[in-house]
Amino acid sequence: MLDLLRVNAEKAASVLSESEHAVAFTGAGISVESGIPPFRGEEGLWSRYDPKILELNYFSAHPEDSWKVIKEIFYDFFGKAKPNIAHITLAEMEKSGFLKAVITQNIDSLHQKAGSRKVIEFHGTSEKTVCMRCKRKYDIGSISLDNLPPVCIACGGVLKPDFIFFGEGIPHDAFEESIKETELADVFLLTGSTGLVQPAASLPFKAKQNGAFIIEINPERTVFTEGITDIFIQGKASESFSLLSDFLFDEG
Ligand code: APR
């Protein structure tokens, strides 16, 4: 298995080194080895928590209950996560000119913490909260989560994490930027996404339609694998990116 992984990582590295505008598209799987569980799969968050806590109507009606679970999952637990070699390699690739942007579905900010500069957060971020009434934004570090729900100091409105809930639209700027990068991409590097959530999952298909070469890293086959993937590196993010890094930066 490792041989096939090496062969495909070497092929992917040569495609990426010759690319003009490679773009990465990441999902929860890239952060699993940083200790953040995925949403789906046997260890998935949705097998332990009810996704309704992230439904806008439920949150608006039960902000305290919702915030209790949100705090447990996304702040008490995620807050201590560190970037792994996959996030770090993507940042190195950007520095060396092999990558132009990361479009991520993740809200954990691990790409930025790894040093990536052009990161498009398609589903928003857990690093900020927004007032449901006056729309003022607060860095998560500037508010207390001791009393829930946290409220806006300006108008007393309930604060909501600045990531999208089920039923919410994609942040406008992130959507526009993602479409632009998808249309420019000649290589799309997909990592750690089931491809089950729209409209995010339509981006790799759009890239393919525009003629992009699709490289996918995932231990499991996905809707992308069957439909559009040109090189499927069947492995975990860290082992795959460690090999990719060796071949890209000639340490291999
Ligand atoms: N390395 C790489 N990929 C992995 C690893 C790993 N170590 N472990 C698991 N995966 C893969 C799984 O095989 C699966 O394809 O990561 C994917 C995780 O799938 P999801 O949890 O569905 O993650 P994602 O596709 O990002 O979910 C999309 O759903 O709930 C919403 O807003 C949430 O952004 C999220 C969206």
Side-chain angles (χ1 to χ4, degrees):
M1 192 63 158
L2 192 59
D3 291 349
L4 187 59
L5 199 65
R6 282 186 73 83
V7 166
N8 286 333
E10 190 166 18
K11 272 196 256 176
S14 73
V15 169
L16 284 160
S17 56
E18 276 139 43
S19 67
E20 298 288 317
H21 199 103
V23 171
F25 173 85
T26 66
I30 199 170
S31 298
V32 163
E33 288 158 281
S34 293
I36 296 181
F39 290 97
R40 294 168 190 84
E42 68 263 18
E43 291 300 307
L45 287 166
W46 298 145
S47 62
R48 285 182 268 163
Y49 296 95
D50 185 341
K52 79 176 176 198
I53 54 129
L54 292 188
E55 281 170 13
L56 206 50
N57 298 337
Y58 182 84
F59 179 83
S60 305
H62 311 281
E64 188 177 342
D65 295 353
S66 219
W67 256 109
K68 276 199 189 100
V69 182
I70 287 169
K71 177 175 181 292
E72 186 184 313
I73 304 175
F74 297 106
Y75 296 103
D76 295 347
F77 184 39
F78 281 15
K80 305 171 187 68
K82 300 263 179 301
N84 64 57
I85 187 165
H87 302 100
I88 293 163
T89 302
L90 286 173
E92 292 298 321
M93 286 169 66
E94 182 187 44
K95 278 192 203 89
S96 310
F98 291 131
L99 189 79
K100 302 295 182 210
V102 176
I103 301 170
T104 188
Q105 299 171 88
N106 301 338
I107 56 173
D108 55 32
S109 306
L110 291 183
H111 286 299
Q112 294 92 325
K113 287 178 183 153
S116 286
R117 299 167 65 88
K118 188 159 177 69
V119 180
I120 304 166
E121 293 174 306
F122 203 73
H123 290 159
T125 177
S126 58
E127 294 287 297
K128 290 192 182 307
T129 55
V130 57
C131 175
M132 300 278 279
R133 190 183 296 165
C134 73
K135 304 302 173 206
R136 182 170 164 169
K137 290 203 177 187
Y138 297 85
D139 287 341
I140 194 68
S142 69
I143 62 160
S144 160
L145 295 181
D146 294 340
N147 300 309
L148 300 175
V151 294
C152 176
I153 48 171
C155 76
V158 169
L159 298 182
K160 171 189 163 296
D162 197 20
F163 51 78
I164 64 162
F165 281 27
F166 294 114
E168 265 193 301
I170 302 299
H172 176 76
D173 294 351
F175 187 80
E176 295 293 311
E177 269 292 280
S178 299
I179 295 291
K180 197 176 100 208
E181 288 300 325
T182 299
E183 285 167 353
L184 286 170
D186 59 349
V187 179
F188 230 59
L189 173 56
L190 320 181
T191 306
S193 181
T194 41
L196 296 179
V197 171
Q198 295 297 351
S202 64
L203 295 172
F205 287 93
K206 192 181 285 292
K208 181 75 176 182
Q209 274 162 12
N210 291 347
F213 188 94
I214 309 293
I215 299 166
E216 183 182 13
I217 295 173
N218 197 315
E220 317 278 332
R221 301 182 75 81
T222 67
V223 293
F224 301 124
T225 324
E226 310 314 325
I228 56 173
T229 295
D230 295 301
I231 298 179
F232 180 48
I233 303 176
Q234 184 157 14
K236 294 184 175 177
S238 51
E239 61 184 348
S240 308
F241 273 94
S242 168
L243 282 167
L244 205 53
S245 169
D246 288 353
F247 289 119
L248 269 177
F249 302 111
D250 278 336
E251 292 136 31

